[in-house]
Amino acid sequence: MALMSAKKKSIEAKKCLLLHFGSDRIMGALAVMTEGEMPHIVEMAEKLVSVKENHDETEFVELFTQAAAEVANVLVHAEHFIPTTVYVSLESPWYTGQTRTVYYSKKEPFIFSEKIVDHLVDEDFGSYRKEAERAFGERLHMLDKSVIMTKLNGYHVDQPVGKKAREVVVSYYASLTPQKLLDQICDSLEKVVRTKIKFFSSSVAMSVALYMTLERYRKLLVVSIGGEVTELLYLENGILMNSGTFPSGRNFLLHTLGNELKQNALEVFSLLNLCNSGRAHAGIARRIESIMGIVEDAWRTKLRKAVREIVGPAERDIPVLTVGAPDTL
């Protein structure tokens, strides 16, 4: 009777605001997240950010942080609920990330421990952060830092702690972003919603989402075509093994068409819609098709190089998932 009358432990549902800083837009969603279950999206919104060549870094950041506040304002005032947590994912070029490998060995066998892992990763991460801060010229904040794989004596081990070894190889993923950027994002969002804000790189955020939806894939290469960049993620058993980007995305085609045809972005969109519907003049349709072919060849060349760097030349028959705006795909 006591078991039957005991109250079941209630599973708390988190009410969240999700924001994604892309390379040319801000995307947002209101979601209800329950532990162990898929998030339920209640409302979505996005804002395209028009960036001009003469915008400096300060203006560039202000445009995106203002757009983020506008998207958040639309979602918060959609009369569904007030979020208790805000999750922000940053796409390249808003962060820098690397998969790094560290080595440790001794002549005599030793017991591998979590303390050794922490020491190796923290020491190497400190060097990585110093190098990145010298390159950026400003203080950087850690977004992600997680161990991917551990090898003892040359062999991959799932549960390495407590085992003997002479040689250790640890691979981990880490990402950094300017502290000043995070402060500006927080300042903008706090005008709309005052709550806890958590930041992630898009690589980690996407790999977690894909793990929840595509866990049956042992290996997976994700090609995410953004506005200004294309991002690649290589996953094994749902774990992010490597990632990379190259500076050619959806807008690469639009910029090239605009330059070649001497047209602005709106006119290029109109011409593309005419071509897609078969209503464009045959001459202009052939010219656009020719330019698109050149752009696609250039993009594929960069893609092949990036894949070789991330996956390696020996890998074959890996499933590929391509992600992007519907008109891009």
Side-chain angles (χ1 to χ4, degrees), residues 140-176:
L140 301 180
H141 175 86
M142 182 187 74
L143 287 176
D144 318 291
K145 187 177 68 172
S146 58
V147 174
I148 296 170
M149 181 176 61
T150 302
K151 288 184 178 181
L152 301 183
N153 300 326
Y155 294 95
H156 171 61
V157 181
D158 289 328
Q159 302 293 334
V161 174
K163 292 183 171 61
K164 282 188 176 182
R166 283 192 175 90
E167 181 182 277
V168 175
V169 179
V170 177
S171 296
Y172 73 98
Y173 174 79
S175 61
L176 297 162

Side-chain angles (χ1 to χ4, degrees), residues 223-287:
V223 180
S224 178
I225 306 173
E228 297 293 341
V229 301
T230 295
E231 186 169 14
L232 284 79
L233 309 177
Y234 176 47
L235 310 177
E236 288 189 5
N237 299 315
I239 298 173
L240 177 63
M241 302 299 294
N242 210 344
S243 66
T245 61
F246 59 91
S248 294
R250 176 177 182 270
N251 293 340
F252 178 40
L253 171 62
L254 301 181
H255 295 327
T256 305
L257 285 171
N259 292 335
E260 292 292 328
L261 301 175
K262 301 297 188 287
Q263 305 279 356
N264 60 39
L266 186 60
E267 291 168 331
V268 168
F269 271 118
S270 298
L271 288 173
L272 285 174
N273 288 332
L274 288 173
C275 288
N276 290 333
S277 62
R279 293 181 290 122
H281 185 274
I284 191 67
R286 283 194 298 270
R287 190 175 179 196

